[in-house]
Amino acid sequence: MEIIRTNEETVEIRNIDTFFIELLRQIPDETDPGDDKIARGRLFTKPHDDPEDELNEEWETYVEPELRHLFQSATETVSQDLKRFEKTKKGEAGEDAEYSLSIPVGHIERWLNTLNQARLCLAMRNRFTDEELAADFSPIINSKRDMQLLQIHIYGFLQEAFLRELDRDAETD
Amino acid sequence: MGDTVVEKETRQKTEFGIPWSVVVHNDPVNLMSYVTMVFQKVFGYSRVRAEQHMMEVHHKGRSILWTGNREPAEHYVRELHGYLLLATIEKSR
């Protein structure tokens, strides 16, 4: 899988095999904290350290709905973009098929936000420790938990690539 | 009931008069490059200044990004929460 800037308006993820296509398609679903209070609490954090401060209550009433709308809107954009996979190589004689995905540069910030939601929810739902998150990635995958740590790393790789594109734009402005 | 309202108004007036700090806390999930980008966008900081704050968050667990009146401080925290950073406001010491 590689990420290429095809023109001023478009970034393309190329050489996506069936494994990565599945990981990409899971991004919107992974942003849902579900019933996990810790994951939900991480997406909607309190603005004041003192739990008794009235600002926390006001925040829940007035700011959280705005943030929820912002996050849902970003996720919806990503979901729409993910409907545009194009097959670039037929899978023949045991070879994997390959796909590409074009993403408008104007959507990159929404992708960054959605990937962040997904990474935070994955980390919180699995209760990954700081050490697990900071450790070099292990190629051994024996459980769903190992797989979800891999997802966090891959989504982070995508974020890094998108950030480089934003940097490049800022430098040329 | 009337006393409560007066007390609340007095408290708000007092709190809006003192400086407040916008604090960003360490988070093992957010990428360092992402945090730097957010500081640049939200506060208009240069890359160098944004990276200094990001490194302070990384090494010391927190960094004060901005200090001033409460209303803009709340605005900055709302912006930072929109980027999913761990941010709070606190009275400036």
Side-chain angles (χ1 to χ4, degrees):
Chain A
M1 186 170 75
E2 60 180 335
I3 295 157
I4 306 279
R5 180 67 167 264
T6 47
N7 58 48
E8 287 300 302
E9 282 92 33
T10 314
V11 170
E12 191 174 289
I13 308 177
R14 287 183 179 165
N15 307 330
I16 311 170
D17 64 19
T18 48
F19 172 73
F20 281 110
I21 212 168
E22 192 51 39
L23 285 188
L24 292 172
R25 282 182 172 147
Q26 284 175 22
I27 294 170
D29 289 344
E30 298 298 357
T31 64
D32 181 5
D35 296 332
D36 193 305
K37 282 186 180 170
I38 293 178
R40 186 168 289 276
R42 179 59 191 85
L43 291 187
F44 302 101
T45 55
K46 301 297 177 207
H48 204 294
D49 282 343
D50 177 0
E52 299 299 315
D53 193 279
E54 66 189 33
L55 178 63
N56 288 338
E57 202 176 318
E58 289 170 14
W59 209 259
E60 205 174 311
T61 307
Y62 301 109
V63 179
E64 281 190 19
E66 281 176 28
L67 294 174
R68 191 168 291 112
H69 176 73
L70 175 76
F71 299 157
Q72 283 173 350
S73 168
T75 302
E76 181 56 29
T77 299
V78 171
S79 296
Q80 292 300 321
D81 286 345
L82 285 168
K83 289 178 181 169
R84 296 202 298 263
F85 282 106
E86 282 182 37
K87 202 172 203 174
T88 50
K89 185 180 150 193
K90 265 187 176 179
E92 288 174 346
E95 276 190 333
D96 247 358
E98 281 184 357
Y99 299 81
S100 70
L101 179 66
S102 291
I103 298 170
V105 171
H107 291 184
I108 286 182
E109 283 209 28
R110 285 163 172 246
W111 271 79
L112 286 170
N113 188 293
T114 304
L115 287 164
N116 230 24
Q117 291 179 59
R119 295 178 76 240
L120 286 166
C121 282
L122 283 162
M124 295 302 126
R125 281 201 304 265
N126 286 284
R127 311 288 190 267
F128 287 124
T129 63
D130 291 8
E131 290 73 26
E132 284 176 301
L133 290 165
D136 286 338
F137 176 68
S138 162
I140 301 165
I141 296 173
N142 285 325
S143 64
K144 186 178 176 190
R145 185 180 162 81
D146 293 340
M147 186 61 214
Q148 299 212 313
L149 186 57
L150 172 68
Q151 267 178 281
I152 291 175
H153 284 291
I154 290 171
Y155 295 167
F157 162 77
L158 278 175
Q159 281 190 304
E160 292 280 13
F162 290 145
L163 284 165
R164 276 197 297 275
E165 289 307 322
L166 289 184
D167 264 356
R168 211 182 77 149
D169 279 355
E171 281 166 14
T172 52
D173 281 347
Chain B
M1 180 68 91
D3 288 349
T4 309
V5 172
V6 171
E7 188 186 324
K8 191 176 169 184
E9 284 176 357
T10 307
R11 193 174 81 83
Q12 283 179 341
K13 274 182 190 167
T14 309
E15 289 195 346
F16 274 91
I18 61 165
W20 288 78
S21 295
V22 174
V23 184
V24 173
H25 305 265
N26 193 32
D27 171 344
V29 179
N30 280 316
L31 301 174
M32 290 197 277
S33 50
Y34 178 76
V35 173
T36 302
M37 181 276 288
V38 173
F39 290 168
Q40 288 179 274
K41 282 213 169 267
V42 172
F43 298 99
Y45 291 166
S46 66
R47 165 65 74 95
V48 171
R49 188 172 178 191
E51 280 178 346
Q52 283 169 348
H53 281 290
M54 178 275 291
M55 291 309 286
E56 192 176 14
V57 172
H58 185 64
H59 290 299
K60 296 184 178 172
R62 52 181 265 144
S63 179
I64 294 173
L65 269 293
W66 187 88
T67 300
N69 289 336
R70 178 158 177 161
E71 206 170 328
E74 286 181 12
H75 166 78
Y76 283 132
V77 171
R78 189 166 61 237
E79 291 280 301
L80 292 164
H81 284 193
Y83 286 100
L84 294 147
L85 263 55
L86 280 176
T88 55
I89 66 166
E90 61 183 45
K91 284 176 189 163
S92 194
R93 291 166 193 158

